[in-house]
């Protein structure tokens, strides 16, 4: 098999792992990495220049989320936002409830935090998703007890792309809030949503929402936690007065400026990007299912992110698939990038009811705005041969 060189064209189909920095985003960041480098907490002119950029970025993001600027807290990314959301609410409502509801297909930033809170004495219900990775409002309602104080369900799954009916679930939970003895706070991990899904928090109805800049063509190491005014929550990072004393530490001004521009572009171009990715995704899914025996699409066939296509292949493990694709100049992934160093089967695919062997044979392609039909053709030209070769090597046959 021909292997690539550094001069060869790289087909990048791992946008759920991270996205390339948009040139306009880089341009917006450059001043705050060079001459406008002030600390936004300083009162001198160069510090106030940074403060102005910070305030303007907060207003831009709040406008897109349809919330107040004061409800935006800047973080280091999606993992911190998820951790802060769950831990902050749990500490604030420690004496009013002991029960959390989530799903068994969440990102590990939520699952591991829930396990940590269980170790601290709380109870967590991990609701099972169906074969498409989804659940219903009734499932959540049936899980609510008089001790429930927090529900955390992701908007779009990072591995299989399936969407959850968040607004319907929130409305269902709200119907019992008046009769509930305490608060029920709703959080959603919306890290994969920007550029593809409406992020209007009024429409979603959520109290907390997590975002990560590098998933929508912004810089790494910066994110957002939306906290609705009046939501019981305690800060998790102490030591300063930044972010209205909700997240101490000098703000990453350049990163925040870049994130605001990236989110603005993602919101502006949402329809165009979604349509573009959907066209390519359709070609990819039809091509793979039509040419590779024993292949299957994971997740909901249509109610999913327009850029996500996750497959399983009978008799093939994901890791050698990835290596072979990489040698051919095609970048994909197997499950979550955050756990790519693990040989364990995907917990999301296990949650769909797949066996451990099936879950190890997954391959995730996630498209972006710069991908082309030529990129899809490159995958369809080489992937069938890779799968056939690996099956022969493993002496496994497709039933």
């Amino acid at each position: 098999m021909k292997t690539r060189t550094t001069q060869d064209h790289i087909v990048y189909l791992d946008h759920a792992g991270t996205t390339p920095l948009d040139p306009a985003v880089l341009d917006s960041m450059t001043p705050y990495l060079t001459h406008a480098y002030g600390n936004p907490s300083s009162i001198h002119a160069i510090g106030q220049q940074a403060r102005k950029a910070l305030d303007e970025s907060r207003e831009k993001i709040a406008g897109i989320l349809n919330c107040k600027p004061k409800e935006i807290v800047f973080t280091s990314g999606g993992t911190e936002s998820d951790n802060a959301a769950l831990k902050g609410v749990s500490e604030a409502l420690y004496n009013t409830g002991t029960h959390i509801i989530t799903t068994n297909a969440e990102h590990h930033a939520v699952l591991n935090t829930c396990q940590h809170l269980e170790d601290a004495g709380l109870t967590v219900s991990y609701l099972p998703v169906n074969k498409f990775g989804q659940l219903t409002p009734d499932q959540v309602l049936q899980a609510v007890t008089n001790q429930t104080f927090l529900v955390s369900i992701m908007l779009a799954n990072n591995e299989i792309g399936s969407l959850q009916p968040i607004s319907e679930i929130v409305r269902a939970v709200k119907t019992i809030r008046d009769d509930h003895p305490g608060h029920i706070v709703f959080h959603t991990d919306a890290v994969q949503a920007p550029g593809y899904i409406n992020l209007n928090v009024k429409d979603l109805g959520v109290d907390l929402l997590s975002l990560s800049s590098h998933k929508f063509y912004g810089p790494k190491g910066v994110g957002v936690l939306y906290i609705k005014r009046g939501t019981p929550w305690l800060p998790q990072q102490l030591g300063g007065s930044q972010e209205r004393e909700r997240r101490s530490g000098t703000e990453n001004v350049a990163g925040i400026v870049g994130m605001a521009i990236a989110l603005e572009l993602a919101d502006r171009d949402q329809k165009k990007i979604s349509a573009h990715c959907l066209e390519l995704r359709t070609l990819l899914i039809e091509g793979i299912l039509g040419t590779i025996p024993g292949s299957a699409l994971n997740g909901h066939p249509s109610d999913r992110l327009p850029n996500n296509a996750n497959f399983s292949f009978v008799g093939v493990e994901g890791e050698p698939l990835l290596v072979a694709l990489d040698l051919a100049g095609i970048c994909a992934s197997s499950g979550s990038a955050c756990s790519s160093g693990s040989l364990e089967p995907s917990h999301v695919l296990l949650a769909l009811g797949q066996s451990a062997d099936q879950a190890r044979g997954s391959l995730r392609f996630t498209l972006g705005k710069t991908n082309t039909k030529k990129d899809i053709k490159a995958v369809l030209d080489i992937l069938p041969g890779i799968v056939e070769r690996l099956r022969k090597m493993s002496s496994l046959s497709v039933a």
Side-chain angles (χ1 to χ4, degrees):
M1 179 178 64
K2 179 181 179 291
T3 59
R4 63 177 168 86
T5 67
T6 55
Q7 288 77 34
D8 290 333
H9 173 65
I10 299 298
V11 177
Y12 186 77
L13 297 174
D14 190 22
H15 290 81
T18 196
T19 54
L21 193 67
D22 189 288
V25 172
L26 178 59
D27 288 344
S28 74
M29 296 171 63
T30 301
Y32 304 97
L33 293 169
T34 54
H35 60 275
Y37 51 79
N39 186 322
S41 296
S42 299
I43 63 173
H44 49 63
I46 196 168
Q48 289 308 296
Q49 186 179 14
R51 169 58 57 185
K52 184 174 183 290
L54 199 66
D55 291 342
E56 290 175 349
S57 297
R58 198 185 308 274
E59 289 173 3
K60 284 179 183 177
I61 293 171
I64 293 167
L65 299 188
N66 191 23
C67 67
K68 298 178 177 64
K70 293 180 180 179
E71 295 175 314
I72 297 295
V73 177
F74 294 124
T75 70
S76 65
T79 294
E80 182 188 340
S81 293
D82 286 346
N83 273 253
L86 273 60
K87 292 179 181 179
V89 171
S90 297
E91 290 186 9
L93 295 177
Y94 182 75
N95 293 320
T96 65
T98 59
H99 181 232
I100 299 171
I101 296 173
T102 188
T103 80
N104 60 355
E106 298 293 307
H107 190 280
H108 279 113
V110 167
L111 292 178
N112 289 0
T113 304
C114 283
Q115 290 161 10
H116 169 79
L117 293 170
E118 282 186 292
D119 292 340
L122 298 179
T123 301
V124 181
S125 292
Y126 300 92
L127 301 184
V129 295
N130 63 18
K131 65 179 181 178
F132 297 128
Q134 298 172 314
L135 75 168
T136 67
D138 282 344
Q139 279 181 272
V140 180
L141 280 183
Q142 291 171 13
V144 173
T145 73
N146 61 5
Q147 289 294 312
T148 303
F149 69 91
L150 174 62
V151 179
S152 180
I153 299 171
M154 71 194 324
L155 183 55
N157 191 274
N158 56 301
E159 292 195 29
I160 59 174
S162 293
L163 307 180
Q164 297 288 6
I166 295 299
S167 57
E168 290 88 345
I169 295 172
V170 172
R171 282 198 296 269
V173 171
K174 283 183 176 179
T175 62
I176 62 172
R177 276 182 174 173
D178 292 340
D179 299 324
H180 196 270
H183 286 86
I184 301 181
V185 177
F186 204 106
H187 165 256
T188 190
D189 176 337
V191 164
Q192 295 292 336
Y196 305 109
I197 300 175
N198 174 27
L199 293 176
N200 186 319
V201 294
K202 299 290 193 304
D203 293 342
L204 292 171
V206 297
D207 303 298
L208 302 107
L209 178 144
S210 301
L211 295 177
S212 186
S213 170
H214 75 109
K215 304 297 187 178
F216 48 91
Y217 304 93
K220 296 176 180 65
V222 61
V224 165
L225 177 60
Y226 156 74
I227 308 175
K228 183 179 179 180
R229 183 180 179 183
T231 300
W233 184 85
L234 292 176
Q236 297 300 297
Q237 190 158 307
L238 309 175
S241 60
Q242 293 89 353
E243 297 302 295
R244 299 171 63 85
E245 299 187 345
R246 295 172 299 182
R247 200 269 188 182
S248 296
T250 302
E251 293 94 343
N252 177 0
V253 178
I256 290 166
V257 169
M259 174 172 62
I261 295 297
L263 190 60
E264 195 173 49
L265 294 174
D267 182 67
R268 184 195 72 184
D269 299 335
Q270 179 177 322
K271 290 184 179 179
K272 181 174 71 173
I273 294 172
S274 294
H276 172 71
C277 289
L278 181 59
E279 180 184 13
L280 297 183
R281 191 196 76 186
T282 300
L283 292 174
L284 183 64
I285 292 174
E286 291 178 351
I288 288 178
L289 297 183
T291 60
I292 303 178
S295 60
L297 180 70
N298 296 315
H300 197 281
S302 58
D303 192 17
R304 66 191 298 140
L305 289 170
N307 73 324
N308 180 293
N310 185 303
F311 301 92
S312 288
F313 302 94
V314 175
V316 182
E317 290 193 355
E319 185 176 7
L321 271 177
L322 290 180
V323 172
L325 285 171
D326 183 53
L327 289 172
I330 298 171
C331 301
S333 65
S334 181
S336 169
C338 299
S339 59
S340 60
S342 172
L343 295 178
E344 294 298 313
S346 162
H347 74 283
V348 173
L349 297 185
L350 292 177
L352 304 189
Q354 294 190 9
S355 67
D357 286 341
Q358 288 176 309
R360 287 191 183 94
S362 69
L363 187 63
R364 181 185 69 177
F365 295 108
T366 42
L367 306 159
K369 60 185 181 182
T370 60
N371 285 128
T372 65
K373 291 181 180 179
K374 183 179 179 181
D375 294 335
I376 303 305
K377 183 177 184 302
V379 174
L380 298 179
D381 283 347
I382 196 165
L383 183 60
I386 292 174
V387 172
E388 182 180 8
R389 178 170 58 85
L390 290 174
R391 281 174 174 162
K392 288 179 179 178
M393 289 173 61
S394 63
S395 301
L396 294 174
S397 59
V398 180

